[in-house]
Structures are given as structure tokens and as C-alpha cells.
Amino acid sequence: MNFEYTVSGDDYSLAGRASSDIKKKLKQLGIPATVIKKTAISMYEAEINMVIHADGGIIKVTLDPRHIRIILKDTGPGIPDLELAMQEGWSTASEEARELGFGAGMGLMNIQRNSDGLHIDTVVGEGTTVTIVLNMED
Amino acid sequence: MEQNYFHSVTLDESLCKGCTVCIKGCPTEAIRVQKGRAWITAERCIDCGECIRTCPSGAKKAISDPLSLLEKFDINIAIPAPTLYGQFSSGISCNRILTALKGIGFDDVYEVAAAAEILSRETRNWLKIQKEKKPQISSSCPVVVRLIESRFPSLLDQVVPMISPMELSARIVREKYKNSSARVGVFFISPCAAKVTDIKTPRGIESSSVDAVLGIKDIYKELSQAVGHVETEESLSIANSIGVSWARTDGEGSAVYSENHISVDGIDHVIDVLENLENGHIRNVDFVEMMSCPGGCVGGPLSVENPYIARNIISSRERVLQQAAEEKPVELPEGICLFWTEELESRTTHRLDPDYRKAMQMMEEMERIQASLPGLDCGACGAPTCKALAEDIVRGKTTETDCVFMLREKIRDLTREMIELESRMPPGLDR
């Protein structure tokens, strides 16, 4: 089953809607609470990143009997040094974003910690595609 | 899971007009309007009382126990919620209100505010040893506990596993009378409908020590008369400002942890914060106070006074208590356990089917139906949203023609077909 969401680029107040919707769906499907929590945290983090760093984008979520696959595609600035970006505490979030409590530099590490698979394709100047995979069973 | 779902929040069929106001505000989508009246799905209801607040016909009610229950016991003890003090102007002392409770048939009183003070202290200690599962979420509001069970089960392990001030008060009373052979009745004087449900189907404990819950609104008339008739005020009140403050929002939060906490009131705000807790957006907070009612317990559906006025009265009583000679801390009697003995259960009443593959098929069908519905969430079908109607349809509870727009489309198709048929002539007449 597939779901697609368009994430707006500059409205922070709407950021997180896609993650909330997926979370509701997973609850209706009766997915274990621990898996839902991991999905909620990792997808929310990635969705927020999309709003803060890239000008929004498209999220595709695929559910199959064994996995939850979340693909977040943006056409933002790309990540120049992925290795550095994966380190905890590293952030390029704007002052505005930080004031709202976002971009504390937990981002990519936090996604990795709360998922069963993370893959990032990024090209500077073209955009980033983040793929998050979670196992349905805890 | 309990077999019979008792709920304090109920519908008076004779008053229900079948309008759809209540279905929109229900946080668990527990209400549908069918056959000209509202129906509350018992498994989903968490007794928050939102429908009582929104019903324009006064058809939603919270039932509590009758005062006549006092006759069943030899000794009757009232345990009033701190909110009771917000129902009378601050010129009327707490002692006067407590003495008046004895005037309407109680033999003794124990203030829930006193127990709240003990629990503030103990929760503070509990937070000190909680390094991992943060933030900890208050368990004092029974609606919030039920909401987490049904909509946010992944947060269950962050709920503070401690009994409520009501329960502690009842245990303290029982301890005091444990050697008595008399039948002791413990009555909670309540602003809260969910507490009526809570003593019958408690969470975290096997059974409640409270015998009955009397709504403040149900005893208010007699009690206010008794307040007027008090001749000598007895010195019954032992509560301090900390315990009294639990009646309003941020009372518990400040009492438990003065700096790094957030206090949330009103069911919509509670849901919003729970969503954020689940997303991991709320970090660096140690404690979250959550009250389902606006303004805290003073906004409870069984209270009488306007919640803003009640809150003001509570605050002024707190100031008076703080200014009075030094407050003497309330002691916890020995031998009373403050912790839960039962685990909370995930009660995912929104799950489509226990079999995940079946649930997935149902969801696909739901998505298809939802896409064909107008998406106006008008409520004319009796379900709160188009999505909820789609869910009801895949659950086999209703059909697509419940939607007035779908019905209109069907009629239009039928009409088109009729006109088309009408234009055909029998061959013999067709020139």
C-alpha cells in the first residue's frame, strides 16, 4: 500500500502532518507500539529536516507485510559532507528554526537510531533523497 | 479488558435532537448519530465530558452516585477534591466547607488536597530516579490515562505509576479505620465524571478503595445551605497551598517539579502534546502535567462554578495559606503503598482488524472509499469526518449512501437512466 504527501517548504506550523497521518494509519493497522514510536520519531525528524533545510518536497510511504519504507525526496541544496552531517550535534539550521526548537543537531543520527535502515542520496545543488526502512515486527 | 463498559458520561435520549454537534468534538471519535439520536461507542469513550460541554440540548450527562448511598454504611467519610474549595467564595473558609460536609450526613472528612501534597513530594522523588524514560507523564487525570491507552500506547511506559490523590486519600481513611468493625463508606466529592468510571474500572490498581463518587453539582444545593448554617467551624483542614493548587492547571506541575515541566490543559492541547511526545519533538522536559478539562479540575463537568472564577478562588486560597503561619507538611501514614500494582494495557480501539493483512486490505478499501467522498466533513451522515464514515463502511456498520452527496449522485444517475428509458418508444409507435 502506498501513500504520498507533499510537504510545504516554509510553513513550520504544518510540518509534521505527514508523520502524524502515517502514525494514525499504523495504529489502525495494529502495528506494535514500539515500531510506531520508531517510525514516528524517524519520519518526523526527516520531515522537519525537509522543511528546515530544503524547500519541502515529496514523501512516499510504502507498507508491505514486512516493512515500512519511507522515501523523502527534495530538490534542496544537498548535503556537502554527509559524514559530518551524520555526527551528533552538527547542524546548519537557521536561527529562526532553532528558536522554534528545531535543528538541535540530533537529526540524521536520531533517524539512524530509530530505524532499521537509512540510506541517503545527496547531490549538492540538486537535492537529497532519504530512504528510511523499518521492520514491521519489533 | 473489562466486559461491561460502565461510563459516567451518558445520553438522555429524550433530550437528544439528533444534531451532529457532539460528534465533531469527541477526541476518540466515539459518537455517531443514527436513527435521529446520538450513540456513544462504549469501548471508545474515555469519559472526558467534551460532549457534555458542546451539546446544545443538554442531552449529554455525567451520572454520579446518589447521596442516599450514605445509608448503606455505619460511618461515612467524605474525601473532597481540592476543586470543592473553588466552588465557594474565598471568604468562606475551608474549615467551614468541611464542617458543612459533616452537616449533610458525613461523619468525618479527609481532604484530597492533603494526599495531593504527599504525592507531589513522592513524585518529585520518583522523577529523580527516572533517568531513562523521560519525560514522565502525570497519571492523575483518569481521562489522560485512558486516552494514552487508546490512542498513544507507545507512551504507556512513560506514565508515572502512582495512585491518584483520591485513591491515596481513601487508603489513608481505610488505614485509620482498619481496626473498626463498622462498615466504613468512603465518598469522593468530585468535579470529574471520569472518576465515577474510574472507581468501577480503575487503572494501575486491582480495585479502588473509594465506595462512591458524588458529583459536586449533585450535592451543591444541600451543601451550600449547610455552609450557611454552620455555627461553629471545626478545625478540620490540614491541607497546604501545594495540595489545594492541584485543582487548577499547573498546580501539580509546579508542586512536583518547579522548573523543567510543562502543564497542559484542555483535551485538544493534551492530544497535541501527546502527538509531539510520540514524535520525539518534546525533549529536555522531565515532567508533563496533563489535565483533560480546560483550566484543570476546576473545569470538570461535575463542578458548578465557572472554571475561571473557581481558578481565581483557588489561587487566592493558596496565597492565604502561604501567608498564614508556616505550613505544616502532611505526613504519609505508614503501611500505605503509593505505587501501581497493575500494568496499563494498550486498548487500541481504532485497530481495523487483529490480523494485520486483513487490516491492510480494509485500509486500502477505506482509502478508495474516502477518495470518492466529498471531503467536506459535514457530519450529515452521522460520522464526524468522511474518513470516519469510510472506516464505518469497511467495518460493515453502514453504507456509502449514508453520505448525502453520494446519495444525490445515485439519484442523479438513476434519473438520467429513467430519462434515457423514457425517450425510447415501442417499435410500433416509433415514427
Side-chain angles (χ1 to χ4, degrees):
Chain A
M1 201 176 353
N2 301 303
F3 302 99
E4 192 171 311
Y5 302 90
T6 305
V7 178
S8 143
D10 37 30
D11 195 344
Y12 284 16
S13 68
L14 294 177
R17 287 224 168 159
S19 327
S20 274
D21 192 61
I22 284 295
K23 201 163 69 177
K24 271 190 202 119
K25 291 194 158 70
L26 296 178
K27 285 175 187 174
Q28 283 185 313
L29 290 172
I31 306 295
T34 44
V35 177
I36 294 179
K37 197 172 195 176
K38 278 165 72 178
T39 311
I41 294 174
S42 57
M43 181 170 166
Y44 177 79
E45 191 78 57
E47 185 181 349
I48 294 294
N49 278 347
M50 232 179 172
V51 179
I52 298 173
H53 302 291
D55 202 24
I58 305 281
I59 306 180
K60 284 182 185 166
V61 181
T62 311
L63 306 180
D64 68 42
R66 298 180 60 189
H67 302 104
I68 303 165
R69 189 180 303 272
I70 307 160
I71 302 172
L72 304 99
K73 195 172 167 56
D74 68 59
T75 51
I79 306 168
D81 187 342
L82 194 56
E83 213 171 296
L84 183 67
M86 285 299 294
Q87 285 171 23
E88 199 156 348
W90 186 87
S91 175
T92 57
S94 66
E95 200 54 39
E96 187 197 358
R98 282 166 189 273
E99 273 171 16
L100 284 162
F102 297 115
M106 303 274 289
L108 297 178
M109 267 298 284
N110 200 27
I111 298 176
Q112 190 157 50
R113 215 178 293 133
N114 286 288
S115 64
D116 301 306
L118 169 66
H119 181 77
I120 301 171
D121 271 323
T122 184
V123 178
V124 173
E126 286 182 19
T128 304
T129 301
V130 177
T131 307
I132 302 167
V133 182
L134 292 117
N135 299 332
M136 282 288 190
E137 312 231 321
D138 192 24
Chain B
M1 212 175 277
E2 64 261 33
Q3 287 304 304
N4 56 340
Y5 298 93
F6 167 85
H7 285 291
S8 168
V9 174
T10 43
L11 178 88
D12 183 339
E13 286 170 46
S14 65
L15 292 175
C16 179
K17 288 181 179 159
C19 78
T20 54
V21 173
C22 60
I23 59 175
K24 295 278 180 189
C26 176
T28 56
E29 295 188 338
I31 315 172
R32 296 291 184 275
V33 173
Q34 300 273 324
K35 301 186 197 316
R37 54 160 281 205
W39 301 78
I40 306 172
T41 310
E43 302 94 294
R44 285 193 177 185
C45 176
I46 54 171
D47 289 285
C48 67
E50 278 301 299
C51 54
I52 298 176
R53 290 187 190 98
T54 51
C55 177
S57 316
K60 292 285 187 0
K61 298 204 163 119
I63 46 167
S64 62
D65 298 312
L67 195 56
S68 59
L69 274 181
L70 267 69
E71 290 160 17
K72 271 179 64 185
F73 302 92
D74 304 321
I75 302 172
N76 291 298
I77 318 291
I79 52 169
T83 300
L84 185 66
Y85 296 147
Q87 311 296 306
F88 297 93
S89 71
S90 53
I92 296 172
S93 74
C94 295
N95 276 329
R96 191 175 187 89
I97 299 167
L98 297 174
T99 310
L101 278 171
K102 291 180 79 171
I104 62 167
F106 292 100
D107 300 294
D108 202 356
V109 294
Y110 185 87
E111 297 161 284
V112 172
E117 181 184 326
I118 297 169
L119 282 163
S120 305
R121 229 162 32 221
E122 296 300 324
T123 308
R124 201 179 305 149
N125 292 335
W126 168 255
L127 290 177
K128 278 185 203 150
I129 55 167
Q130 284 307 303
K131 300 275 181 254
E132 289 295 315
K133 287 165 185 162
K134 281 193 173 172
Q136 287 280 302
I137 304 166
S138 163
S139 58
S140 62
C141 175
V143 173
V144 170
V145 173
R146 282 160 177 77
L147 181 68
I148 294 175
E149 281 182 333
S150 83
R151 282 188 57 180
F152 301 93
S154 74
L155 297 172
L156 283 174
D157 61 354
Q158 283 169 251
V159 177
V160 176
M162 278 193 200
I163 59 170
S164 66
M166 170 189 81
E167 207 54 51
L168 176 57
S169 305
R171 287 186 186 184
I172 290 171
V173 170
R174 296 255 177 250
E175 184 67 21
K176 186 177 165 188
Y177 287 90
K178 70 177 175 191
N179 296 323
S180 161
S181 57
R183 288 171 302 170
V184 177
V186 180
F187 293 78
F188 180 53
I189 313 298
S190 176
C192 172
K195 287 285 194 197
V196 183
T197 308
D198 197 45
I199 66 158
K200 296 187 169 67
T201 50
R203 299 294 193 260
I205 53 174
E206 220 179 306
S207 63
S208 175
S209 301
V210 180
D211 292 297
V213 173
L214 307 179
I216 289 177
K217 71 176 176 66
D218 297 326
I219 62 160
Y220 187 75
K221 204 170 160 187
E222 280 178 276
L223 185 61
S224 53
Q225 280 167 1
V227 163
H229 293 144
V230 170
E231 282 172 11
T232 323
E233 285 176 21
E234 293 181 48
S235 181
L236 297 166
S237 182
I238 56 164
N240 294 309
S241 58
I242 280 185
V244 172
S245 76
W246 277 54
R248 56 162 176 90
T249 178
D250 201 39
E252 179 192 0
S254 302
V256 162
Y257 201 83
S258 54
E259 286 160 28
N260 210 4
H261 71 275
I262 51 175
S263 298
V264 193
D265 63 313
I267 193 87
D268 290 345
H269 298 155
V270 165
I271 290 170
D272 190 45
V273 170
L274 288 171
E275 288 275 357
N276 277 297
L277 282 168
E278 210 171 35
N279 292 344
H281 180 55
I282 297 176
R283 301 176 184 132
N284 311 321
V285 167
D286 292 317
F287 183 70
V288 185
E289 173 203 291
M290 291 193 150
M291 304 271 197
S292 154
C293 292
C297 301
V298 287
L302 296 177
S303 66
V304 175
E305 187 53 275
N306 171 288
Y308 295 94
I309 295 173
R311 190 176 160 176
N312 189 35
I313 298 171
I314 292 290
S315 299
S316 91
R317 288 191 194 275
E318 286 172 48
R319 280 193 299 277
V320 170
L321 284 165
Q322 279 162 4
Q323 284 159 7
E326 66 187 270
E327 298 184 299
K328 193 165 157 257
V330 179
E331 298 292 339
L332 172 66
E334 265 179 52
I336 293 176
C337 175
L338 299 174
F339 285 91
W340 281 349
T341 48
E342 314 283 310
E343 297 249 337
L344 292 182
E345 275 178 49
S346 162
R347 294 167 203 258
T348 45
T349 49
H350 291 76
R351 192 172 63 179
L352 291 167
D353 196 274
D355 175 11
Y356 164 64
R357 281 159 212 269
K358 176 90 195 297
M360 195 102 128
Q361 283 169 5
M362 288 170 80
M363 184 169 284
E364 275 175 17
E365 179 68 1
M366 234 176 93
E367 293 284 317
R368 191 194 60 73
I369 295 169
Q370 202 191 330
S372 70
L373 295 172
L376 295 174
D377 296 343
C378 69
C381 61
T385 58
C386 293
K387 195 175 176 179
L389 175 64
E391 189 184 327
D392 289 353
I393 295 169
V394 296
R395 286 183 192 273
K397 289 181 180 165
T398 185
T399 58
E400 288 185 19
T401 45
D402 270 11
C403 170
V404 287
F405 297 90
M406 297 291 275
L407 185 67
R408 184 166 164 261
E409 214 149 277
K410 284 236 153 80
I411 292 172
R412 195 186 269 172
D413 290 346
L414 204 59
T415 312
R416 228 178 260 138
E417 206 178 320
M418 280 167 71
I419 291 171
E420 215 268 314
L421 284 174
E422 192 270 345
S423 69
R424 290 190 201 166
M425 295 287 267
L429 299 175
D430 198 5
R431 292 182 183 232

